[in-house]
Amino acid sequence: MNKVILTGNLVKEIEVKTFGKTVVANFTIANNRGYGENQKTSFIRCALFGESRVEALEKYLVTGTGVLIEGELDIVTKEVEDGEYVNFTSVIVDKLEITRFKNKEEEEQPKYKKKGRK
């Protein structure tokens, strides 16, 4: 069995590519674990396949959006130099749930409004 469940925030805007009739959205999430000085962040590359799925989520998947993803771990080994190989790990997303919406208007507004005196 190969199943991964992760939560995190999108690091940057998604990148949509088309290969023939196949549409894929590539994105990276930042996943935090631990607390205080022991907190570590992992950056996980993800791929979401399917034209209708990508079109439905494209406008919501912006930098900072919180997501919960479920999918399959994919490891590809590539030769980078003579006899030297590197593993590239990513998640092929089966299910994606938005846990925290983020939109461009939200980025422009201050988080806390100052209260005026009367």
Side-chain angles (χ1 to χ4, degrees), residues 91-108:
V91 175
I92 307 300
V93 178
D94 292 325
K95 295 180 184 177
L96 185 143
E97 182 178 321
I98 296 174
T99 58
R100 188 175 63 85
F101 283 92
K102 176 93 177 192
N103 58 36
K104 294 182 184 193
E105 293 149 6
E106 196 176 300
E107 292 173 7
E108 296 168 4

Side-chain angles (χ1 to χ4, degrees), residues 23-41:
V23 177
V24 62
N26 293 306
F27 57 94
T28 301
I29 64 169
N31 172 269
N32 297 323
R33 61 190 186 285
Y35 296 96
E37 292 179 15
N38 296 324
Q39 184 171 345
K40 295 182 180 183
T41 303

Side-chain angles (χ1 to χ4, degrees), residues 64-107:
T65 300
V67 295
L68 181 141
I69 60 169
E70 184 177 319
E72 180 180 316
L73 195 61
D74 184 40
I75 301 171
V76 177
T77 303
K78 292 186 179 182
E79 185 174 2
V80 289
E81 291 181 17
D82 293 336
E84 195 173 325
Y85 293 88
V86 175
N87 289 329
F88 294 94
T89 306
S90 62
V91 175
I92 307 300
V93 178
D94 292 325
K95 295 180 184 177
L96 185 143
E97 182 178 321
I98 296 174
T99 58
R100 188 175 63 85
F101 283 92
K102 176 93 177 192
N103 58 36
K104 294 182 184 193
E105 293 149 6
E106 196 176 300
E107 292 173 7

